[in-house]
Structures are given as C-alpha cells and as structure tokens.
Amino acid sequence: MLKIENLHATVADREVLKGLTLDIKPGEVHAIMGPNGSGKSTLSYVLAGRDGYDITEGSINFMGQDIGEMEPEERAALGLFLAFQYPVEIPGVTTTTFLKTALNAVRKARGEKELDPASFLKLQKQKLTELGMDADMLKRGVNVGFSGGEKKRNEVLQLAMLQPKLAILDETDSGLDIDALKVVADGVNALRAPDRSFLIITHYQRLLDYIKPDVVHVLAKGKIQKTGGPELALELEQKGYADFYDEAA
Amino acid sequence: MAQAAVHSFKTETLQREEAMPWLAPAAVLGGDNAPAWIAALRETGAASFAATGLPTPAWEGWQYTNLRPLTPDVFTFDAAGDVAAQDLPAPLLKDSHRIVLVNGRLRPDLGTPLPDGVKLTPLMEISEPEEELATVGSLAQSPLLALNCAYMRDGFVLDIAPHRDITRPIEILFMTAGNSPAVYPRVLYRFGENSGATLLERHAGAGAALTNLYAGLVLKAAARGRYYRFIDENGDAVHVSRTVVRSHKSSDFQGFSSVSGVAAGRQEFGLELLDSGISSSIGGVYMLKGRQSHDFTILADHFEKDGTSVQHFKGVIDDQARAVFQGKIHVRRPAQKTDGYQSHHALLLSDQAEASAKPELEIYADDVKCSHGATAGMLDTDGLFYLQSRGIPVAEAKALLVHSFLSETLEKITRDDVRALYAARIAAWLNAPVEEAAA
C-alpha cells in the first residue's frame, strides 16, 4: 500500500525528515506519535504533495507507483487522502459543491463516470446520516463558521465520500473535546476495511483509545525511532518523549 | 452617414487642438430639430471639450487611468447599425419588461409594453428639462461628460409613479451594432415618492463600440430603487459612464455592476445623500485579463444626518490587466450620525497584473462612523492545496477560489435571481459551471 524508504525532505531549505522508512500494508492502521517539531506534519504534507515540501532523497511508493513527483490531485486520484489538522475555510463555495467537485474530479481521473446530481445527493445524504451530521452544514461555505468539531467531522465526511485507499489523519484530535473525538473516531472506525489503510499522526495517545492501531511508531528528529504495538502508545503516555529527545540528540 | 465624425484615441500628447478630431462638424450635432435645451447643451459640451481635451494622468482622479493606450480603436459617431429582433439577447430574467436602445437610439419596436405606473419619455420629446437631466456636473472637470453633452442624440426619462411598487424587473438593453459605433446615451431614472422598482441595465454588443453613458437616478422620499448593471460587451468595446444617484429623505438605493468584457472602461458613480435617513449602496465585481483595464471611481456624498452609504467592490486581475478603484466618502458638516463604509479587494492572478486603489475619507461632521479597507493579494495557497488534496485539478481549484472570493460581493443583493445573473457572469469568466453561492 504505502512504502516509504529513507525519506529525506526539506521545508524552506531546512531538512526536516532525515531518513524515514515506513511500510503500511492494506487494512492496517498505523499511528505515528512524536513530540512537537519532530516532523509529523511535514510527513503528512510531503505525502500529500504540498508545494514547498521537497524530497531530497529516498522514495514514496503508493499503490505500486512512485508518487514523489506527483501533483496533490494526482495522489488523491490514486487514493491518498489527508485529513487536515487545520481544515481551510472557503467562503462562497458550499460544502455540497466542494464535495461534488472533488468526487467527480477523482472519479474522472480514475476513468469512472461522473455522478449525476441525483446519485450524488443520494450518496451524500447516506454518508451524512451514517456520520450523524446535520444537513445544514452542506449549504454553508466550506468550514466557514464551523466549530473545531464540525471542521473535523467535515474532514471525515470527505473521507467517507472519497473512499480513499489510504487516509492520513493529521492531528485530528487537536482542539476536540471528548464527545467530538468519539464522533470522529466512530466515523473513522466505520470506514475501516481490508483494503483501506490509515496513518494516524498524533501527539497524544488519547485518540488511540478510540481508533485502535495495529502498529505504533515514534517519530523524532525526522526519523522513526521506535516501532511497536498499541502498548507503545501507552508507554509514551506515561513516560513522555524525553527518551527520544536524548536518543536522537 | 457621410458626415460621420471619426473618433480616434490616437493622441500622443493631449493638446488643445487634439480635442478637435473628437468633435464633429456642427451639421452632425444639429440638424435634428432637437429641443432648444439640447442644442444649447451640445454647444456647451463641445466648447468645453475643445478647451480641455481628454483628461491626462496629471488630472485629479485620472492618475491611474490613461485613455491613450486605446490608440488603434476608431469609433464613429452615429454609425449605421441595426439589430434584428431575433438577434437580441434573451431577456436577463423571465417576466421582465424591456426597453431597448440600439447604438444609443431608443427602439420602441424592440421593447415590450411597460406596466401601469411606469412612463417612458424619449429625450427629444422633453422641452423643459429637469435639473437632473440637464445639469449633471462640471463639464470642465469631466471631459467625457462634455462629450456626452456634445453628442446628445437620444435617451429617455423613465418615471416610476409615486406609491407604486413595480414587481417585475425592467431591463434596459443598450445594444451596439455595426461598424465601431460611438454612442452617447443620456438617461434619467426617476423613482417617485415611496415607489419601488428593479432596473436591469445591460450593455451588450458583438463588436467594437464606444459607449459614453450618462445615467441619472433620482429617488424621491422613501423610494426603493434597485439598479443592477451588466456590462456584457466584448473585448473590443470601451465603456465609460457617469452615474449620479440623487437620494431624498429616507429612500433606499442598492446598485451593483459587473464588468468583464471590455478593452477599457471607467464607471463613475456619485451617490448623493441629499437628506436624512437615506441608505445608498453600490457594489461591483470586475474580471480582467489580457491587456484590459477598468476603473471604478466612486463618491458617496453625505449632505444630511443619519445616512448610510456602502461601497463594496472586488475584482480579479490576470495577465497584464490593470484595475483601478478610487473611492471617496465625503461627509458634510450637517451629516451627523453618518455611517460610511467602503471596501475594495483585488486578487492578482499574475505577476504583471496591476491594481491601484485610492481610498479617501473627507469628513467635516464630528459624530460619524466611517471605515475603509483595501487589499490586493494573490490566491491563498492553503486553500489551493486543500482543494488539490481532494483531487481537484489546479486550474479548477483556482477557479473555485476566485469564485469564492468574488461571490462574497453578491451576498447583499436582495434578489436571488439577480444574484444568480452575476454568479453566472463570474462562472462564465472562469469558464466554470454555475454553482450557487453559499449563503
């Protein structure tokens, strides 16, 4: 599914990822935990193809293709999805328009037929109901005036609509209270499938109480420092990241 | 017409004698049994223009807009040209009334009957002009207005009877046709006391044309005027207009204009809030590319207390296009408790695109609230990446963001159907399907 080898990446000429290796198989849920500044968000942006995040060494292979040089939309068409830590507000474009444009763009890129308006609305309604979301948000500008919880739920709605192969959740738990966190986690759990993988990027162990990972990695100083099972997350919660600062220093 | 005057912008330095190519022989200007006031105004306008010529960048208010780059375009006054009824564009809105002018001439044969409470009087049938029609500003300071006077040929006064609410919109279609016509229409829209109507003023034409319009609006006490302008001309057209809105006690005016097609344009709006308790707002969007240029020059002038004026403009500029916004709020001493708001935001899509903004406040009353904001910036990279990460190709993502940026100006338009007309123009410029804007 996703194979990252010896990835080095720079942001504004500063090397942030320094030889990161990661292998995610279909259906697996991986968590990457790490202290602030360890390169977590950089990893998510590099994977999604954000402008200004440059790969200087190593490779990213996704669905059998080297995606390192691809545009963000090409990666999305291949089945990569990034749930943003800070979803962007787009006034004047309704959530429905946004979802329809995105879904049809991805379908078109995959050589599938675009959905007609009726089928689209039906699908949208179904996903909305499954996620227990208010239809009112569809008529509002994308993320405009949404609470933190609503923004994250909107990310999960997009995830549910686009049905990616790999979903990267970047600090999805930040700014959420426990109820909102549960709703978001339920939404994600409902999407778990044998051919769909997740990469959960988080500072805290809390989210992993609700979305059970198969594998937990510790990222510090731009590299995976340690890999283990769910118990590693609990250990980090108790001991903090101090060991890894020392180890990596 | 053999004696047709040929207009040329071909002027390197604008000296007095160069005003002359603009001015037709007296035989062209006269010879139509025009009422005495029109004949007099033509002479005054011609004399004034002969003295000033076109404005140069040294003129106050003309620092940013220069008419000289229009060199190759040549326009002919009173050029022959016609449009067959079946070639007129479809009405902007269903169930609307229509007034049609072709090359500045009223064409009752192409219009529709007007409803009770609405009266159309052709300019040439007016023997005793109202001040609002004849005295419209300083000709010495406005050479384009002087030309509009010199070439005054046709136009109308549209009266909305007092206490009448005209429910269906009235479309006023200004068509240009034929070989590069220059047209100088003069119109006056007059809303009687406590009346209400929606006017859709549309400028369209397939070829090169110069339109130099004077439009006056008068809102008597408690009148509600909606005035929506659509400049739908093509890339060879030049549009200059001066629009003066004279508002009386407790009246409510809302105006909006969109422009995308013209080679060059300048729209001047003067909002005169002559009495107390008036609300007057004007907004607009412009979408420019290639080497297009456009200028919105706005003055909101508060004479009396408790008035609210709004100027809200946005535009997008690509390639080497240039946009100008000059907005002023003038609050006179008696105009206490004035609320004046002005904003202009430009989105630059290329490194060579240019936006010039000149916001001005001139306030003589001491208890007022006035604000202005002006920005010029590039597309938001966060938004672009967000859309691309959802699979939306970069060109489409940019179009969505531009649409998002511009459509915010439409939110204040009270009629959904009119808002949709402007949204369609934004979408057409972006070459994108029409989508309903978020509330």
Side-chain angles (χ1 to χ4, degrees):
Chain A
M1 173 79 60
L2 179 73
K3 214 173 167 69
I4 304 173
E5 279 182 54
N6 188 32
L7 185 66
H8 291 252
T10 57
V11 185
D13 292 330
R14 191 171 64 87
E15 187 169 59
V16 180
L17 298 181
K18 303 167 180 172
L20 185 142
T21 295
L22 187 68
D23 188 359
I24 301 179
K25 301 211 156 40
E28 287 183 348
V29 175
H30 286 231
I32 288 191
M33 302 182 66
N36 292 330
S38 58
K40 297 194 304 290
S41 281
T42 297
L43 175 62
S44 69
Y45 285 150
V46 170
L47 288 174
R50 177 158 198 169
D51 215 20
Y53 290 74
D54 300 319
I55 297 171
T56 49
E57 201 183 328
S59 66
I60 307 169
N61 189 292
F62 176 60
M63 302 297 289
Q65 294 194 45
D66 187 336
I67 62 169
E69 295 294 314
M70 287 185 181
E71 292 297 319
E73 59 266 34
E74 295 173 297
R75 303 179 195 211
L78 265 186
L80 190 132
F81 181 93
L82 171 63
F84 280 51
Q85 181 177 4
Y86 303 109
V88 181
E89 295 188 8
I90 307 178
V93 177
T94 64
T95 302
T96 292
T97 297
F98 172 59
L99 288 172
K100 190 163 67 184
T101 309
L103 183 60
N104 281 333
V106 165
R107 290 178 69 98
K108 208 167 134 188
R110 291 174 187 164
E112 296 166 16
K113 226 177 112 224
E114 292 186 24
L115 277 189
D116 62 80
S119 313
F120 169 79
L121 289 174
K122 201 176 147 196
L123 179 69
Q124 180 176 259
K125 193 172 173 212
Q126 182 201 330
K127 298 296 177 195
L128 209 62
T129 313
E130 282 173 13
L131 292 168
M133 289 162 68
D134 188 357
D136 179 55
M137 70 182 274
L138 297 173
K139 286 181 248 152
R140 290 152 65 188
V142 176
N143 294 323
V144 178
F146 286 25
S147 68
E150 284 176 318
K151 284 183 180 172
K152 296 299 168 74
R153 269 199 263 181
N154 193 11
E155 295 294 287
V156 179
L157 174 65
Q158 293 163 40
L159 173 55
M161 292 292 288
L162 294 173
Q163 299 273 320
K165 297 288 182 209
L166 172 70
I168 303 160
L169 311 183
D170 185 9
E171 306 266 4
T172 291
D173 48 336
S174 69
L176 292 189
D177 61 29
I178 205 75
D179 292 331
L181 187 69
K182 232 173 140 312
V183 171
V184 167
D186 287 348
V188 170
N189 286 327
L191 291 164
R192 289 180 74 155
D195 63 346
R196 181 172 300 128
S197 309
F198 289 85
L199 178 59
I200 298 165
I201 293 173
T202 181
H203 186 91
Y204 301 103
Q205 183 268 340
R206 192 172 70 142
L207 179 65
L208 305 180
D209 287 342
Y210 299 98
I211 306 172
K212 294 282 179 216
D214 299 305
V215 185
V216 175
H217 310 274
V218 180
L219 176 65
K221 299 279 174 185
K223 273 174 136 164
I224 301 290
Q225 305 288 350
K226 191 170 182 182
T227 295
E231 73 286 348
L232 179 56
L234 293 167
E235 192 186 315
L236 286 170
E237 185 74 0
Q238 281 162 10
K239 292 168 57 180
Y241 292 106
D243 288 357
F244 299 101
Y245 285 115
D246 295 345
E247 200 172 309
Chain B
M1 187 174 279
Q3 288 172 305
V6 173
H7 290 168
S8 172
F9 283 104
K10 202 162 45 191
T11 45
E12 278 308 310
T13 53
L14 291 159
Q15 300 296 322
R16 193 168 223 233
E17 54 272 23
E18 289 175 1
M20 296 324 288
W22 277 89
L23 293 170
V28 174
L29 299 180
D32 59 354
N33 297 317
W37 71 275
I38 292 181
L41 206 49
R42 285 173 180 164
E43 276 178 33
T44 312
S48 177
F49 189 82
T52 63
L54 281 175
T56 71
W59 286 48
E60 176 68 25
W62 286 90
Q63 287 93 332
Y64 306 111
T65 290
N66 188 342
L67 297 174
R68 277 177 286 181
L70 303 172
T71 303
D73 292 320
V74 173
F75 303 100
T76 310
F77 176 65
D78 227 1
D82 200 5
V83 181
Q86 67 268 20
D87 294 332
L88 289 176
L92 287 168
L93 293 177
K94 279 188 286 186
D95 296 327
S96 57
H97 309 283
R98 197 180 228 188
I99 297 165
V100 178
L101 298 91
V102 176
N103 287 353
R105 303 273 194 157
L106 258 181
R107 290 289 297 272
D109 57 313
L110 298 174
T112 65
L114 294 171
D116 275 357
V118 179
K119 189 174 138 221
L120 182 76
T121 313
L123 198 67
M124 290 294 151
E125 290 174 17
I126 294 168
S127 51
E128 297 289 329
E130 296 75 359
E131 188 199 3
E132 289 91 353
L133 197 60
T135 312
V136 293
S138 159
L139 301 188
Q141 284 168 26
S142 181
L144 294 171
L145 184 59
L147 278 181
N148 176 278
C149 290
Y151 285 99
M152 194 188 294
R153 174 69 70 173
D154 205 356
F156 59 81
V157 175
L158 187 74
D159 275 299
I160 313 295
H163 307 289
R164 296 295 289 264
D165 233 318
I166 309 302
T167 48
R168 293 182 180 181
I170 302 167
E171 178 178 335
I172 303 98
L173 174 63
F174 289 87
M175 286 294 295
T176 51
N179 188 16
S180 305
V183 303
Y184 299 86
R186 172 164 303 211
V187 300
L188 178 65
Y189 307 103
R190 203 157 40 189
F191 294 76
E193 191 182 333
N194 190 35
S195 69
T198 297
L199 308 178
L200 309 171
E201 186 191 284
R202 182 188 197 181
H203 297 267
L210 166 68
T211 298
N212 178 347
L213 166 75
Y214 177 83
L217 290 101
V218 177
L219 281 79
K220 296 290 190 192
R224 299 162 303 282
R226 299 289 176 264
Y227 178 65
Y228 301 115
R229 180 182 286 164
F230 301 86
I231 302 195
D232 289 347
E233 284 163 303
N234 82 346
D236 294 323
V238 176
H239 176 102
V240 295
S241 57
R242 183 182 184 87
T243 307
V244 175
V245 184
R246 290 184 178 161
S247 294
H248 295 272
K249 198 175 174 68
S250 303
S251 62
D252 176 35
F253 173 77
Q254 182 181 82
F256 198 88
S257 178
S258 74
V259 58
S260 62
V262 297
R266 168 155 164 140
Q267 297 181 66
E268 300 175 2
F269 284 90
L271 309 180
E272 298 182 358
L273 292 78
L274 299 169
D275 208 326
S276 61
I278 291 164
S279 169
S280 187
S281 77
I282 183 74
V285 287
Y286 56 83
M287 296 155 272
L288 307 174
K289 57 188 167 192
R291 300 184 65 88
Q292 287 178 289
S293 69
H294 187 272
D295 173 340
F296 272 116
T297 292
I298 317 293
L299 167 65
D301 196 350
H302 291 258
F303 287 74
E304 292 290 340
K305 63 185 168 67
D306 297 326
T308 301
S309 71
V310 176
Q311 306 171 33
H312 187 34
F313 290 82
K314 276 190 175 182
V316 53
I317 318 161
D318 204 349
D319 304 326
Q320 293 159 283
R322 299 173 68 247
V324 178
F325 174 81
Q326 305 184 98
K328 182 171 174 178
I329 306 173
H330 183 215
V331 183
R332 295 171 191 246
R333 203 175 300 277
Q336 300 294 351
K337 308 276 183 199
T338 284
D339 213 339
Y341 170 82
Q342 176 197 107
S343 74
H344 170 255
H345 301 287
L347 186 59
L348 304 166
L349 296 183
S350 100
D351 292 343
Q352 290 174 291
E354 204 179 301
S356 307
K358 191 172 83 172
E360 270 184 284
L361 301 177
E362 193 177 328
I363 300 171
Y364 297 99
D366 52 19
D367 183 13
V368 303
K369 252 190 343 202
C370 284
S371 66
H372 67 86
T375 62
M378 311 289 279
L379 269 184
D380 170 33
T381 53
D382 288 341
L384 197 60
F385 173 57
Y386 191 55
L387 294 171
Q388 283 183 275
S389 79
R390 296 300 178 256
I392 301 172
V394 64
E396 208 175 329
K398 282 183 180 173
L400 261 181
L401 289 176
V402 173
H403 191 281
S404 148
F405 171 77
L406 292 178
S407 61
E408 187 264 331
T409 56
L410 309 182
E411 286 168 13
K412 298 266 164 51
I413 294 173
T414 39
R415 287 183 68 121
D416 291 349
D417 51 3
V418 173
R419 203 162 51 235
L421 289 171
Y422 286 118
R425 276 151 183 79
I426 294 171
W429 189 82
L430 292 167
N431 199 17
V434 182
E435 293 288 357
E436 199 188 334

